[in-house]
Every structure is written in structure tokens, then in C-alpha cells.
Amino acid sequence: MNLKEGDRFYIFSDGCSDQFGGERIRKFSRRRLEQVVRNVSDQPLHEQKNAINEALLDWQGMHYQTDDILFVGFRLS
């Protein structure tokens, strides 16, 4: 693997993608989570954190959190 300065990595638990919500009370899904990350990946990490958290909370709505949620992002410098 060729790594270079500025590369970003994301590690997350299944609690992110397994969170129920939305209009039809479905799982957030890995695909949806990956799309959110792609949409914000060019922003500073603190802004990414806020955007990802907001997307998960918006999806969750009034539903209880169904599992632990762990999401870690870092950039090589």
C-alpha cells in the first residue's frame, strides 16, 4: 500500500450502518454511510465529524439508538 501525506482513513462500527430511522424505519446502511463520507471527505476533519454526526442523528430521528456507534477518521500528515 502506497501511503502519502494527506491520505484519510475511516474506521467505523456496524452501529453506524445498523441505526434504524428514516421515513420507512430502515437501517442507515453502509452504502448510505459511505456516500455521506464521500460527500464530505474534502472538508476539514472537524467539519466532517459534524456532518456525519448530523446525518446519523437526522436519520435516527426520534428512534432509539440501537447499537454502539464508533466512527474514527484520521489524516496522514
Side-chain angles (χ1 to χ4, degrees), residues 1-5 7 9 76:
M1 182 183 299
N2 294 324
L3 303 176
K4 61 185 181 301
E5 185 176 331
D7 285 351
F9 295 87
L76 296 179

Side-chain angles (χ1 to χ4, degrees), residues 53-66:
N53 189 46
E54 184 176 321
L56 281 167
L57 289 174
D58 285 348
W59 180 261
Q60 182 178 342
M62 299 302 293
H63 302 284
Y64 291 105
Q65 184 175 323
T66 54

Side-chain angles (χ1 to χ4, degrees), residues 16 19-22 28 32-33 35-37 39-40 43 45-63 65 69 71:
C16 297
Q19 178 58 50
F20 284 99
F28 191 67
R32 186 173 283 112
L33 180 59
Q35 187 61 47
V36 170
V37 171
N39 289 343
V40 299
Q43 298 176 9
L45 288 174
H46 70 278
E47 291 180 21
Q48 290 182 43
K49 173 192 161 204
N50 293 337
I52 293 165
N53 189 46
E54 184 176 321
L56 281 167
L57 289 174
D58 285 348
W59 180 261
Q60 182 178 342
M62 299 302 293
H63 302 284
Q65 184 175 323
I69 294 179
F71 193 102

Side-chain angles (χ1 to χ4, degrees), residues 16-19 27-34 59:
C16 297
S17 56
D18 287 351
Q19 178 58 50
K27 290 184 178 183
F28 191 67
S29 81
R30 182 182 173 110
R31 179 187 56 79
R32 186 173 283 112
L33 180 59
E34 289 174 355
W59 180 261

